[in-house]
Amino acid sequence: MASGLSKVYLVGGAVRDALLGQASKDQDYVVVGQTSESMLALGFQSVGRDFPVFLHPDTKEEYALARTERKNGRGYTGFSVNAAVSVTLEDDLARRDLTINAMAMDNEGNIIDPFNGRKDLIDKVLRHTSEAFIEDPVRVLRIARFLARYGDTWRIAPQTYLLMERLRDSGELSHLVPERVWLETEKALGETYPHLFFETLSDFGIFPEIEAMKGIPQPVKHHPEGDVYTHTMLVLKRAAELNFDIEARFAALTHDFGKAYCYKQYGHLRGHEQAGVAVIDAFCARLKIPNRFKSVGELTSDNHTRCHKLFELTAKKVHKLIVENMDALGHPERFEHFLQACLCDAQGRGERFVNHAYPQLLAAQRLFTALKTLDRKAIVQKALLQGRQGPDIGQFVREAEIHCLRSCFDNLKKNIERAQ
């Protein structure tokens, strides 16, 4: 900790993680009995815009003056801050969202735990620290994210869930800033159990596209697991089990967004792949989701059933899928995320399918590898020698790519037949 400070405490997630035996990314400290002026005099650098936070002159770790907060507006930014020297450590801990985050450790390793957070850690309970919980709607997202991190052996305390419902019913959740919703969502997608984030929030109106999936029936032959919502949660769960990147997890989450629209508009699911593109576009626009997620989500929605039917496609249609639709040569990582989402779609249909083989993934990877090995410069030179010009050269390259795919595809099918 810092020299020159007599009352400084490690707080929040670092203490929680230490008690759980887990590494913590951040080491945050609270300082009691100091002012901004005295911190600056000790060499700390002021970085807080809304409240007094400072960087240690050597370690660059964050040190914040103990503070209290009072609600004076809507949303999560409507607070007034009091960081007077009279604010105690217990006052500062009381403003924190959950008891497991409201513990502190002094420089001798003693735990200060005024709200019994240690017991809740042992009992695996997410419990609000005080009624002030309802002053910040982001806390609803954070609770859901903690469940995504820790899993379904944890639970939300009943009284805390009632406060979450109060936040919903009061309209406070409508004041959540889109960027903050996405920030928490992106973090949740990277957790071990991301499906629990969306399941926890499924009745809070934050993700209407996901709530719309509830009760939308699917053909039992292909989807014995149940409705579109159940399937989507299983697909996302599978993507996390396989430790896929968050882009693949996002594609897994959004790949069937078009099903609810099609069923409500037409009474069937046909065309949901293409219909989902517009739904995902609106979803990403509302939450200001970066393009790398939007593009893989929309392309996966549009093309996932084509990937499932890969072995039924002609070489020309495979070329259209890999080269024209997916632009795999220009975006190889995105193509891989697409294939991973398709695998999870196939395996996210209940226990009977979770380890079911999906040969389309390996086949598509090999077809893509074959395309990459083509010597396009040599092909262009050959086209020029034949007197081809302009668009004719592009067509010549396309024909060479299709021929390559046809040859590779024939070999793949022969290998599969032999294996069977």
Side-chain angles (χ1 to χ4, degrees):
M1 297 185 186
S3 59
L5 298 175
S6 58
K7 295 181 179 180
V8 57
Y9 306 87
L10 183 68
V11 293
V15 179
R16 177 198 69 228
D17 292 343
L19 292 173
L20 288 171
Q22 299 174 354
S24 185
K25 294 180 181 178
D26 301 312
Q27 301 284 306
D28 295 328
Y29 297 92
V30 159
V31 180
V32 177
Q34 297 290 333
T35 64
S36 294
E37 292 74 18
S38 65
M39 293 293 286
L40 293 173
L42 289 169
F44 286 81
Q45 178 186 356
S46 177
V47 294
R49 185 181 65 179
D50 300 318
F51 45 83
V53 178
F54 305 84
L55 295 183
H56 189 283
D58 298 322
T59 67
K60 305 304 179 184
E61 292 172 326
E62 286 192 359
Y63 287 69
L65 296 184
R67 68 183 189 272
T68 59
E69 297 171 344
R70 177 176 295 177
K71 184 80 167 176
N72 63 4
R74 305 287 286 189
Y76 79 97
T77 58
F79 291 91
S80 60
V81 174
N82 172 29
V85 293
S86 59
V87 176
T88 67
L89 175 65
E90 287 73 18
D91 291 335
D92 184 273
L93 295 176
R95 69 177 175 78
R96 297 172 185 270
D97 53 358
L98 301 174
T99 61
I100 64 171
N101 297 326
M103 294 180 282
M105 181 187 295
D106 65 19
N107 56 13
E108 295 179 354
N110 299 309
I111 301 295
I112 298 92
D113 181 19
F115 302 101
N116 297 315
R118 202 167 192 171
K119 183 178 186 303
D120 283 337
L121 269 185
I122 294 169
D123 294 340
K124 299 184 177 181
V125 176
L126 299 171
R127 189 189 312 278
H128 63 284
T129 302
S130 72
E131 286 283 319
F133 179 92
I134 62 171
E135 294 182 350
D136 186 355
V138 171
R139 289 172 171 175
V140 171
L141 298 170
R142 280 173 54 80
I143 279 198
R145 182 159 62 81
F146 276 116
L147 279 179
R149 178 181 300 176
Y150 296 136
D152 57 11
T153 59
W154 283 66
R155 60 186 177 87
I156 302 171
Q159 290 302 314
T160 302
Y161 194 80
L162 288 175
L163 293 182
M164 293 169 64
E165 292 181 317
R166 279 177 58 186
L167 274 167
R168 176 197 63 196
D169 297 340
S170 69
E172 271 287 316
L173 297 182
S174 65
H175 294 276
L176 285 167
V177 176
E179 292 89 345
R180 190 59 191 271
V181 175
W182 171 246
L183 177 65
E184 295 296 326
T185 303
E186 184 177 4
K187 289 178 179 178
L189 283 170
E191 299 286 6
T192 308
Y193 311 97
H195 64 288
L196 294 180
F197 176 78
F198 299 99
E199 288 182 2
T200 302
L201 299 174
S202 65
D203 293 320
F204 285 82
I206 297 172
F207 303 109
E209 298 85 355
I210 297 172
E211 293 183 23
M213 297 175 176
K214 289 186 174 182
I216 303 299
Q218 302 183 108
V220 177
K221 177 182 176 182
H222 301 295
H223 289 281
E225 75 280 7
D227 64 11
V228 179
Y229 173 80
T230 300
H231 168 60
T232 299
M233 293 299 101
L234 288 173
V235 175
L236 179 57
K237 180 182 179 184
R238 187 60 178 152
E241 288 171 348
L242 295 172
N243 200 29
F244 289 154
D245 291 342
I246 55 175
E247 290 87 351
R249 299 182 190 200
F250 181 81
L253 173 70
T254 59
H255 79 284
D256 272 347
F257 269 16
K259 282 185 174 177
Y261 174 83
C262 283
Y263 189 80
K264 290 173 182 177
Q265 286 287 113
Y266 313 116
H268 59 71
L269 305 181
R270 294 188 299 278
H272 74 273
E273 302 90 344
Q274 290 68 52
V277 173
V279 183
I280 295 168
D281 184 65
F283 177 70
C284 292
R286 188 179 80 253
L287 296 182
K288 300 185 178 179
I289 297 172
N291 280 335
R292 77 177 196 272
F293 294 99
K294 175 185 170 183
S295 64
V296 74
E298 292 181 353
L299 286 168
T300 301
S301 176
D302 192 17
N303 293 284
H304 64 278
T305 52
R306 294 187 179 101
C307 186
H308 297 333
K309 297 176 180 178
L310 184 68
F311 296 110
E312 302 171 27
L313 303 181
T314 64
K316 285 184 178 180
K317 288 186 177 181
V318 171
H319 182 272
K320 182 176 176 61
L321 171 64
I322 296 177
V323 178
E324 298 175 33
N325 293 2
M326 295 302 306
D327 188 18
L329 293 168
H331 299 275
E333 286 189 3
R334 187 177 67 190
F335 184 56
E336 184 65 18
H337 292 145
F338 160 74
L339 294 178
Q340 291 171 344
C342 291
L343 165 68
C344 295
D345 182 28
Q347 294 184 338
R349 295 181 289 161
E351 291 184 9
R352 184 157 62 93
F353 293 95
V354 72
N355 291 308
H356 201 271
Y358 189 69
Q360 292 92 328
L361 184 144
L362 183 58
Q365 288 172 331
R366 288 184 175 174
L367 290 165
F368 173 60
T369 299
L371 279 176
K372 284 197 302 179
T373 60
L374 272 180
D375 188 343
R376 283 171 178 76
K377 287 185 179 179
I379 295 170
V380 170
Q381 287 297 321
K382 186 176 181 181
L384 291 171
L385 289 172
Q386 292 182 8
R388 300 195 180 222
Q389 297 178 352
D392 216 18
I393 295 175
Q395 179 61 25
F396 192 80
V397 173
R398 179 178 179 274
E399 289 169 359
E401 289 174 339
I402 292 172
H403 177 76
C404 169
L405 287 171
R406 184 177 291 114
S407 176
C408 182
F409 212 13
D410 288 344
N411 288 332
L412 282 171
K413 288 178 178 178
K414 288 176 183 176
N415 290 336
I416 290 171
E417 289 171 3
R418 280 196 290 266
Q420 291 174 341

